Amino acid sequence: MSVTRTGPLPVGADAAYDVVVVGAGVVGCAIARTLARHPLRVALVEAADDVGDGTSKANTAILHTGFDALPGTLEARLVREGHRLLSDYARETGIPVEPVGALLVAWDDQQRAALPRLAAKAERNGHHSTALLGAAELRAREPHLGPGALAALAVPGESVICPWTTTLAYATQAVRSGVDLHLGCRVETVRTGDPHHRLVTPRGELRTRHLVNACGLHADSFDALVGREDFAVTPRRGQLLVFDTFARDLVRHILLPVPGPLGKGVLIAPTVYGNVLLGPTAEDLADKTATGTTAEGLAGLREQGGRILPALLDEEVTALYAGLRAATGQEDYRIAAHPGLRYVTVGGIRSTGLTASLAVAEHVRGLLADCGLDPGPERPLAPVRMPNLGEAFPRPYRDAALVARDPDFGTVVCHCERVTRGEIRAALTSTIPPAGLDGLRRRTRARAGRCQGHYCGAEVRALFERHSEHTEHRGGTR
C-alpha cells in the first residue's frame, strides 16, 4: 500500500494506472474502495493534504432514507440504495450511526397542507413507514418545540452518522486493498490520449487508461481540463452552529422544515458526538473557497432556531462552521460516462452524497465498464474496524479491558471530549495518518469540545509534533 503527501510521484511503470480517481471526498474514496475489489491498478489523487477535507467534512451528517428525493431521479435511486449499503457497512466497520428518526414540522396551514403530499412522495420513493402526527402527538414526542407547531410527518429510518469516520473508512480500506493515495497532488493539466491520459501535477505526472472526476465543487473545472462543458457548479454555502452536549436532551429527533426551493432548509439535529446542530443556511455564491461564517448568517440561524426550539438559545455554542455544496441548477446528480474519452464525471453531488456514496461507487463501476474497463474478478477487501467517535457506543476510556492492556487508553488528554493518549497515538500511526491538527480532530475529536482546545491544545500539539519528528527521522509517509 502507498500513501504519499510530498515528493515526486512514481515514475515509469509505477506511474501507469488502470483508473485514477481525482478527488478524495466521501464519494471519491467510496469509488476507489469499490474499484479495489478488482485486480486493477488504481490511484486516488487529492489536491488537499488529507482525505475528506472539503465538502465531506462540513455537512449535516445525516444518513438519509431518500424519502423526499425527486421520484424517478438518479439521486432518488442511489440515495435509497446507499442508505441500505452504508447502514450495513457502518455496522461492519464500526462507524457510529444513531437511528433517531426525523420529524418534518409544519408551522402554518400551508406547510401542514403539504405534509400529505410529502408522505405520498415518500411512498413513490419506496419509503412506506411515514406517519402524519397531530399537534398533541408531536408535542409528546418533542416537548421542547416552540409554540405554534401544528403537525408533522414522522419519518422513521432517518439517522445521524459520523461523516469523518465514513470517508476515512473508505480510504483506509482502499489503501489497505492496494490503492495508491496521492495527497497534496492537484491535477493542473490533463493530456487525453490513447492508451493513456496524462495527468500533470506539481509533483510529477501520472498515466491512466480510465479517469474518474470526483472533484466536488471543482467538478466543472476538471471537466474543462478534458474538454467538457456540461454544467457549471455554483457553491451553495451552508453555515451551522454546534451547541454543547448539555443541549442534547432538548431534542429527540432530526427536526426538519417543510422543504423549500433551495433545499431542506434549516434543521435541528442531534449528532453522534452528543452535540446539537442548527443549520444550514443556503446561500448561492461565486467563490468556491468562501467557507467563512457571517454575522448575518449566524444571526438568522439563531432567529430560526429560537422559533423551533426556544430553549436551545440558552445553551452554549461550542463551534460554528460553513460548508459548500455543489449546486448545478438541476435537482439531480450529474453523473455521466464519456466512453470516447474513457472518462466518468461524478458531479452535482449534494448533501445526500454521504448517504449515496457506496451506491454512487457501484454505479460508477458500471459506467467504467461502459467505457471499456474490464475490472476482472472480484476479490475480498482488506478488513477495517474504525475507532468509535460516537457517544452512544463504548468509548476507549470506559473499556476496562483495553485500559488494562494499554494504560494510554485510560489517560485522558482532551477532557471535554474524553479523548485519550492511546486514541491519539493510534490515529498518528494509522494507515492514513493526519497531516495536521484538524485532521487529528476528525479522527479522534481532540480539541472539538466546549473549550475548543484551550486546555488540551498544547499537549495535543506536542504529541502530534513529536510523532511527526519521529516519522520524518525514520523516513515515513512521503
Side-chain angles (χ1 to χ4, degrees), residues 435-454:
L437 294 179
D438 285 346
L440 183 59
R441 183 182 68 245
R442 294 195 294 272
R443 287 161 173 80
T444 64
R445 289 173 49 184
R447 300 167 53 252
R450 63 178 60 95
C451 84
Q452 291 290 290
H454 180 76

Side-chain angles (χ1 to χ4, degrees), residues 175-198:
V175 169
R176 290 184 184 176
S177 302
V179 170
D180 290 344
L181 172 61
H182 299 304
L183 298 164
C185 192
R186 181 182 301 278
V187 177
E188 297 176 333
T189 304
V190 177
R191 296 172 181 152
T192 58
D194 191 8
H196 290 101
H197 305 310
R198 294 178 179 271

Side-chain angles (χ1 to χ4, degrees), residues 62-69 83 98-105 115 118-119 122-123 126-133 141 152-159 252-257 259 264:
I62 294 175
L63 181 56
H64 296 282
T65 59
F67 76 96
D68 61 344
H83 180 273
E98 289 188 52
V100 294
L103 297 173
L104 273 81
V105 181
L115 295 180
L118 289 167
E123 286 278 338
H127 194 80
H128 307 295
S129 56
T130 62
L132 294 169
L133 307 180
R141 293 197 185 192
L153 180 68
V155 187
E158 294 279 302
S159 304
R252 302 173 182 176
H253 303 75
I254 302 164
L255 301 180
L256 299 172
K264 293 180 172 61

Side-chain angles (χ1 to χ4, degrees), residues 96-181:
V97 173
E98 289 188 52
V100 294
L103 297 173
L104 273 81
V105 181
W107 298 90
D108 58 39
D109 290 335
Q110 184 178 8
Q111 291 179 359
R112 180 166 55 183
L115 295 180
R117 294 196 299 274
L118 289 167
K121 187 178 185 181
E123 286 278 338
R124 295 198 300 276
N125 280 320
H127 194 80
H128 307 295
S129 56
T130 62
L132 294 169
L133 307 180
E137 187 173 358
L138 171 59
R139 183 70 56 183
R141 293 197 185 192
E142 287 289 352
H144 297 286
L145 277 175
L150 301 178
L153 180 68
V155 187
E158 294 279 302
S159 304
V160 291
I161 188 171
C162 177
W164 304 332
T165 307
T166 303
T167 304
L168 186 61
Y170 294 162
T172 298
Q173 195 162 36
V175 169
R176 290 184 184 176
S177 302
V179 170
D180 290 344
L181 172 61

